[in-house]
Amino acid sequence: MEITTVYQKVRSEFGRPVNGFAPTEAALLDEFPPEKELYGTYIERNPSILDVQAIPEMSEHEVNTERFSYLNIGNFHQEGGWPKDVDHTEKDQIQRYKKKVEKDEDYIRQVKNLGDAVEQSIMQNYAIDIYQEYFSGEYADHSSEPPSAKTLSVFKDPNEIKRTVSHISWYPDGGRKLAVAFSVMQFQDWRMEKMSHKSYIWDVNNPNTPDFELQPSSPLCCLEYNPKDPHILLGGSYNGLISMFDTRKGPTPAEISIIEKSHRDPVYDIAWLAGKTAYECASTSTDGQVLWWDIRRPEPSDSLALEDKTPGCEGRTMGGVSMEYSAGAGPTKFLVGTEQGKVVQCNRKAKNPSDRIGIIYEGHCGPVYALQRNPFFTKYFLTIGDWTVRLWNDEIRHPIMTSKYFKNYVLDATWSPTRPGVFITTKMDGTLDVWDYFYKQNDPTLSLQVDDDGLFTVKMQEGGNMLATGSVDGSVYMLELCEGLAVTQPNEKQSVNQMLERESKREKNLEARQKELRQKEKRQTEMAAADPVDKVPWEEQVKNIEEKFWESIQQSESKAEAEGIGA
């Protein structure tokens, strides 16, 4: 710190001197005579002295602060806390370890608890929260509660000629609406010429009147909301056309595919693809094709013919009835259920065109009406056909779990989005079955007689506690499941995964044993073919061996007798 000294000079020592004043004689300007009246009011005051100085007083002073010495020192940070098998210098290993930790249930539970604490701090400005969950972050044990479901609303087809509810799609943002496709799938049905082609969108809070009408050129067999844009819907028609609806532009289709480039049979199933854009989709039909679309164009971007590769059936075309396109199983892999009862595993981006059709699973005796992957374990998928429900593993050609044969056809199924072991099925007799593999595998946990006619389709809402099922007579029932069927139970995910892995391992062992027996039988057949034609039968071989055995015994006895006589 530098020390400075300030000196204050007298005014006369700087500046120009003042020379404008000169001495003069005194002169009387005015006279003020004394007034005796004012003298009486005069009060004598003690003398007071007031010094006035216009120049501030200043003194010379100095201040020194304590000095410190500074040094530049660096700090080396070494990564620590990683497991022994993770090299922190490799980014790939760190990323894999982070993904592994993020999938751990304990990590998710801790993050959720921290989120609850932050949410509580944010909501301190509110005087009261009527939606507060006092037991958030804790598992509630519902195992002792009996499973139940109650009907909340019924949506009826407003037309005089009742049609079958062929497909249901929930509104992607909170499930506030239901999009329902109506059609008649029976060939040459008498209602085809007289019935309406309209499908409807209902508000779940107003079941009396449809909220919006869809007016396609042909009845819709399937209908799906766009998961990224809830204003857009994709529909597959009975005449094979693909229609795109935009609720902001009116009830008629905003885009329609060209009939020459479309399917030649009814479009049984459609699916939105999880890509970079919200406009890619795929469709399948009983004409044996899978078509990929960009809804901004009227022509398909790619196609695949469903040809059978099973020995003895090579080259036969299989009609598509159901399709499963899940992003968890891979962006290019998908499954197609056929009307021949087989499930085809396909890969859109295979290196060779012949490899686009992979494993073919011998599924059911009739058409595979429903096909869906488990949302928690994507390598396991569920199929519905004929009178059974079957659970599969991608790596095994045979089902790992099969239900009993019911008296009525099973028509549709859907997994619960919140419970890994719960799925719902519908049957031709109007029964809704709720399966809970976490507690029971042989029979449904809950069976409800929802309608007198058959239940053709069922769809779960993303919250896990609501479902909608459509009947053959055109009625859509919205049901609410109890908390025991909607809320994840403690250790449920781990237990269900262990059960599925155990059944998969058992099926693999049986398949390996069967393969070993086939190879053994093949070797025996080859050995039999290599032997001469005049081979002696086994019975004669045994007889000859016995005769030689007794001859050798007689010879040894006769030899022993001869040696005894000679002695």
Side-chain angles (χ1 to χ4, degrees):
M1 178 179 178
E2 296 183 359
I3 302 174
T4 59
T5 304
V6 179
Y7 298 95
Q8 184 70 36
K9 294 183 179 180
V10 182
R11 177 67 182 84
S12 61
E13 295 181 0
F14 65 92
R16 293 179 61 187
V18 179
N19 298 324
F21 297 98
T24 59
E25 296 182 357
L28 180 64
L29 298 178
D30 197 1
E31 183 180 2
F32 295 95
E35 297 180 6
K36 296 182 179 180
E37 293 83 2
L38 296 178
Y39 186 78
T41 61
Y42 175 74
I43 300 175
E44 187 177 0
R45 184 179 178 184
N46 292 330
S48 60
I49 299 172
L50 177 62
D51 296 333
V52 178
Q53 178 60 264
I55 300 174
E57 296 182 359
M58 301 185 68
S59 64
E60 183 177 340
H61 63 281
E62 61 183 17
V63 176
N64 288 328
T65 59
E66 185 178 358
R67 293 180 177 271
F68 292 94
S69 299
Y70 295 95
L71 297 175
N72 293 327
I73 299 176
N75 186 16
F76 178 71
H77 173 71
Q78 173 125 12
E79 289 282 348
W82 296 99
K84 295 181 179 179
D85 56 344
V86 176
D87 186 2
H88 64 271
T89 59
E90 296 290 337
K91 292 184 178 181
D92 295 339
Q93 295 187 20
I94 293 176
Q95 292 297 331
R96 286 196 296 268
Y97 180 74
K98 287 181 179 180
K99 290 181 180 180
K100 180 181 178 182
V101 173
E102 289 174 357
K103 292 181 180 180
D104 190 6
E105 292 186 359
D106 293 335
Y107 172 80
I108 297 173
R109 192 179 302 111
Q110 291 176 6
V111 173
K112 187 176 184 301
N113 293 336
L114 292 175
D116 295 339
V118 174
E119 183 181 2
Q120 182 180 2
S121 301
I122 294 174
M123 299 180 65
Q124 285 180 353
N125 294 330
Y126 292 93
I128 186 173
D129 182 13
I130 61 175
Y131 300 105
Q132 181 180 1
E133 296 182 4
Y134 294 95
F135 302 99
S136 61
E138 299 181 2
Y139 286 106
D141 186 11
H142 300 284
S143 59
S144 60
E145 299 179 5
S148 62
K150 59 180 179 180
T151 303
L152 298 180
S153 301
V154 180
F155 307 90
K156 295 284 188 180
D157 185 4
N159 295 282
E160 295 182 359
I161 299 177
K162 303 303 178 184
R163 304 162 295 169
T164 302
V165 180
S166 57
H167 206 91
I168 297 174
S169 180
W170 284 90
Y171 191 80
D173 187 10
R176 297 182 287 107
K177 296 180 181 180
L178 274 176
V180 183
F182 293 93
S183 63
V184 175
M185 306 303 295
Q186 287 80 6
F187 180 66
Q188 291 184 346
D189 193 282
W190 64 272
R191 295 171 290 179
M192 295 290 292
E193 298 180 358
K194 300 180 180 180
M195 72 178 187
S196 172
H197 295 173
K198 295 181 179 179
S199 294
Y200 301 96
I201 298 176
W202 270 279
D203 191 328
V204 296
N205 297 319
N206 184 19
N208 298 324
T209 307
D211 186 65
F212 193 82
E213 291 184 356
L214 302 177
Q215 299 177 1
S217 59
S218 178
L220 295 178
C221 302
C222 49
L223 184 64
E224 282 291 345
Y225 268 109
N226 190 321
K228 297 182 179 180
D229 189 351
H231 299 287
I232 298 177
L233 295 96
L234 185 68
S237 301
Y238 188 83
N239 60 358
L241 297 179
I242 301 296
S243 304
M244 188 272 286
F245 297 90
D246 193 334
T247 56
R248 297 165 293 188
K249 297 182 180 180
T252 57
E255 295 288 344
I256 303 178
S257 62
I258 301 176
I259 190 168
E260 291 83 2
K261 302 291 184 178
S262 302
H263 291 284
R264 298 183 296 273
D265 281 351
V267 182
Y268 274 81
D269 204 356
I270 53 177
W272 291 99
L273 307 186
K276 296 181 180 179
T277 64
Y279 305 108
E280 295 182 354
C281 57
S283 62
T284 187
S285 172
T286 50
D287 63 353
Q289 293 186 96
V290 176
L291 301 180
W292 286 270
W293 305 83
D294 189 324
I295 59 176
R296 296 169 292 185
R297 301 175 183 176
E299 298 182 3
S301 59
D302 197 0
S303 63
L304 173 64
L306 299 174
E307 295 183 356
D308 197 349
K309 292 185 177 181
T310 307
C313 303
E314 293 87 348
R316 294 183 181 179
T317 302
M318 299 179 290
V321 179
S322 57
M323 182 169 55
E324 167 61 26
Y325 222 124
S326 177
T332 62
K333 295 182 180 180
F334 62 99
L335 298 170
V336 179
T338 64
E339 60 182 350
Q340 286 77 17
K342 300 178 181 180
V343 179
V344 184
Q345 186 184 76
C346 306
N347 189 354
R348 182 184 179 186
K349 300 296 183 180
K351 295 181 179 180
N352 299 324
S354 58
D355 297 336
R356 299 179 71 179
I357 295 181
I359 302 175
I360 297 179
Y361 307 91
E362 296 289 342
H364 298 268
C365 300
V368 181
Y369 289 115
L371 179 65
Q372 190 176 15
R373 289 187 182 274
N374 190 309
F376 295 88
F377 314 107
T378 54
K379 69 177 181 179
Y380 300 99
F381 61 92
L382 189 73
T383 60
I384 297 297
D386 49 60
W387 303 271
T388 59
V389 180
R390 297 186 179 183
L391 190 62
W392 303 74
N393 188 327
D394 274 342
E395 304 170 356
I396 305 175
R397 294 178 179 268
H398 302 284
I400 60 174
M401 300 182 74
T402 304
S403 70
K404 65 180 181 180
Y405 281 83
F406 296 98
K407 296 181 179 179
N408 296 277
Y409 250 61
V410 186
L411 297 179
D412 200 7
T414 179
W415 284 99
S416 171
T418 56
R419 293 276 313 273
V422 173
F423 61 91
I424 293 93
T425 61
T426 59
K427 292 187 295 192
M428 184 63 81
D429 60 350
T431 304
L432 180 82
D433 294 334
V434 182
W435 298 75
D436 191 349
Y437 272 2
F438 185 56
Y439 294 109
K440 187 192 296 186
Q441 294 82 35
N442 299 326
D443 296 305
T445 305
L446 176 65
S447 293
L448 298 174
Q449 186 67 36
V450 178
D451 194 271
D452 294 335
D453 295 327
L455 295 178
F456 192 81
T457 182
V458 63
K459 204 64 170 292
M460 287 286 294
Q461 195 257 348
E462 60 183 3
N465 60 339
M466 306 280 289
L467 65 91
T469 178
S471 65
V472 177
D473 62 354
S475 300
V476 179
Y477 299 88
M478 188 173 68
L479 292 88
E480 182 181 11
L481 300 177
C482 64
E483 292 187 359
L485 296 174
V487 179
T488 306
Q489 302 301 307
N491 301 324
E492 178 184 1
K493 186 176 180 180
Q494 181 180 1
S495 300
V496 173
N497 187 28
Q498 291 177 355
M499 178 188 66
L500 297 177
E501 291 290 344
R502 182 181 67 248
E503 295 298 326
S504 300
K505 186 176 181 180
R506 181 182 65 85
E507 193 63 33
K508 286 181 180 179
N509 294 336
L510 292 175
E511 188 174 350
R513 177 59 179 168
Q514 188 176 6
K515 183 178 179 180
E516 183 181 350
L517 293 176
R518 287 197 301 266
Q519 292 178 352
K520 184 178 180 180
E521 184 178 356
K522 183 179 179 180
R523 288 194 300 268
Q524 291 178 355
T525 305
E526 292 177 354
M527 291 174 62
D531 290 342
V533 181
D534 55 350
K535 182 180 179 180
V536 180
W538 174 251
E539 292 80 3
E540 295 185 2
Q541 291 183 9
V542 173
K543 186 177 180 181
N544 294 334
I545 292 172
E546 289 180 352
E547 291 178 352
K548 292 180 180 179
F549 174 73
W550 291 114
E551 287 179 359
S552 62
I553 291 177
Q554 290 178 359
Q555 290 177 1
S556 60
E557 289 180 352
S558 59
K559 185 178 180 181
E561 290 177 358
E563 290 178 354
I565 295 172

